[in-house]
Amino acid sequence: MNASSGEPPSLVTAASPVESLYAHVPFCAKKCSYCAFYSEADGGGLVDRYVDALIREFEIVAEGMRPRTLFFGGGTPSLLSMRQWETILNAMRRLNLTGAAEWTVESNPATVSFDKARLLRDAGVNRMSMGAQSFHPGLLARLGRVHSRDMIFKSYDILRAAGIENVSIDLMFAIPGQTMEMWRQTLAEAIALGCEHLSCYELIYEEDTPFFERLQVGRSLINEDLACAMYEELLASATAAGFAQYEVANFARIRSGETGEIPQLACSHNVNYWRGGWYHGLGPSAAAYVHGARSKNQSNTVAYCESLERGERAFEYIEELPPLRRAGELAAFGLRMAAGWPLELFKRRTGFDLTQEWSAEIERLSALGYASLEPDRFRLTQKGLRFADWAAELFLR
Ligand code: SF4
C-alpha cells in the first residue's frame, strides 16, 4: 500500500515503543487571570486522592515502558507536598519508570523549596521549567500570578543549589499594559539569570478567563503591531545572547561547538510531540498519542479519580484518525519547528509525500516568503514562523 495509490498507508512506526510520558498535575495555588489550562485552585483533600489515581494510571501503562522523556506539567506540579512527591516517586521506582534521559517538572516560583527540588533531583529530575511570565511587579499582579519578582530570583537560586543543571524560564509578551521597555527588561533579566532555555508566549485571550471578559467589555485592547515588535525583540535578544530558536516559542542556549538541526538543550519531550512520536498522557485532561490512537482524559479530577478507582482509564475520548488527516496534523505540528520537516522522516512517520500531497500549500507559502523547500526538507522561514498557526492550518485535511 502507498499514499500515492490512494490506499491508506500504514504507519511504519506503529510498533515502536512509547518512550515519552506526560503527567498532568491539575492543581494551582490560585488561578491566573489568563489561564485556560485545566487546573483547580485549592485542591484540598482531593490532592491525595489524585495522587493515588495517578499511580494507578502509571501501573496501567508501565508494562514494558522505559521512558526516554518524562514531563510533569500542569497546573503546578511543584505545589505537591514532599510526602505526595515521595509517594509518586516511590511508585515510579517500583514500576521502573525513572531513569529518563530528560525528566522535566514545571514549577511556580512561589512553591519551590530546596528540599523538594533536591528530592526531585535525587529521583532523576534533571530539568525544571519555571513559570516566571514577567519580572515586572505590576504585570505579575495584573496576570494574577501568586509569586513576586523576588521569588523568581530566589527560586532560581534554589533550583541551582539543589543541582538542577537545566532550567527553562517561561515568559509572556503582549500583556495588557506591557510596554516595549518592560518586555526588554524582562528578557534581559531572564537571560542574565543564565538559564538554558526560554519559552516565550504571546498572551492569548482564551474564552472563560477574566482576561477574555475584559476584552469583551472593551477594558483591554489588542495592539497587533506592538505584539509583532515584541516578537522581533525576542528573536534579536535571544539570538544575541546565544540562544537558538528551534520552535515558534522555544529557544535553547547553544553549547560551544554544537552543530545539528535541533539544539542539544531543546526540550526533547516537546520535540517528540512536534515530530509525531508516541506519548502517554496521564492525569486529568492529559492528551496521548499511542500506536496511532489519540486520546484525552476527562477534564474533571473527581471523575478521573472515580474511573481509576474502578480500575479503568479515564478517557474522555479515544480515536484513530484517517491516515491523511493524521498526516496533515503532523505536517502542521512539525512546521512549528525551525528545522521544519525532513522530507524522508515525514514519509517514514506518515506514509505520505509532503511535497506531492501539499504541493499547492508549499508553493503558496514559498511565494509569500513564509517557507522554503530545500532538497531534504520543508520549513517555515523566520518570517513564516511568526504566522505558524495560520500556515499550519493550511495543511489540515
Ligand atoms: S500557575 Fe500556570 S496552570 Fe496554574 S493558573 Fe497560572 S498559568 Fe494556569
Side-chain angles (χ1 to χ4, degrees), residues 308-328:
L308 270 304
E309 285 158 7
R310 289 194 302 270
E312 296 164 9
R313 296 296 300 272
F315 293 135
E316 182 179 300
Y317 65 78
I318 176 160
E319 62 184 0
E320 207 153 327
L321 296 183
L324 181 58
R325 201 167 141 212
R326 182 59 203 165

Side-chain angles (χ1 to χ4, degrees), residues 99-111:
E102 180 190 277
W103 185 350
T104 305
V105 173
E106 287 183 342
S107 67
N108 181 303
T111 53

Side-chain angles (χ1 to χ4, degrees), residues 27-28 30-32 34-37 39 74-76 108 133 145:
F27 305 105
C28 291
K30 169 177 172 269
K31 204 70 196 160
C32 301
Y34 56 89
C35 178
F37 289 120
S39 68
T76 308
N108 181 303
Q133 313 311 351
R145 302 289 297 173

Side-chain angles (χ1 to χ4, degrees), residues 3-194:
S4 53
S5 72
E7 292 175 280
S10 58
L11 287 163
V12 291
T13 55
S16 51
V18 185
E19 295 181 327
S20 290
L21 192 151
Y22 172 81
H24 191 77
V25 181
F27 305 105
C28 291
K30 169 177 172 269
K31 204 70 196 160
C32 301
S33 310
Y34 56 89
C35 178
F37 289 120
Y38 176 66
S39 68
E40 298 177 22
D42 189 18
L46 191 54
V47 187
D48 281 340
R49 193 174 168 195
Y50 154 82
V51 168
D52 289 343
L54 182 70
I55 290 171
R56 284 175 196 226
E57 208 179 13
F58 272 127
E59 287 166 352
I60 292 171
V61 303
E63 199 180 310
M65 196 200 176
R66 297 291 297 161
R68 187 177 54 81
T69 71
L70 287 165
F71 198 110
F72 278 74
T76 308
S78 57
L79 193 67
L80 298 179
S81 67
M82 290 284 286
R83 180 182 53 76
Q84 287 156 344
W85 268 117
E86 274 163 4
T87 307
I88 291 171
L89 297 172
N90 286 338
M92 290 178 71
R93 285 191 193 97
R94 169 170 61 82
L95 296 166
N96 271 328
L97 290 175
T98 54
E102 180 190 277
W103 185 350
T104 305
V105 173
E106 287 183 342
S107 67
N108 181 303
T111 53
V112 173
S113 73
F114 177 82
D115 289 346
K116 219 183 278 181
R118 183 46 82 85
L119 176 78
L120 293 172
R121 200 225 46 181
D122 289 349
V125 172
N126 51 19
R127 185 172 185 274
M128 295 284 289
S129 169
M130 188 161 76
Q133 313 311 351
S134 176
F135 284 70
H136 189 278
L139 293 182
L140 287 175
R142 181 160 304 161
L143 291 169
R145 302 289 297 173
V146 285
H147 63 86
S148 65
R149 165 189 162 81
D150 282 354
M151 285 177 193
I152 300 173
F153 295 107
K154 280 190 190 126
S155 297
Y156 185 87
D157 289 345
I158 286 173
L159 295 182
R160 292 305 199 195
I164 303 291
E165 290 181 355
N166 189 350
V167 178
S168 178
I169 306 269
D170 282 4
L171 300 175
M172 295 184 90
F173 63 96
I175 303 167
Q178 186 182 34
T179 62
M180 179 61 94
E181 198 39 49
M182 290 176 192
W183 175 228
R184 269 196 203 111
Q185 184 72 20
T186 277
L187 275 172
E189 295 199 89
I191 289 168
L193 280 176

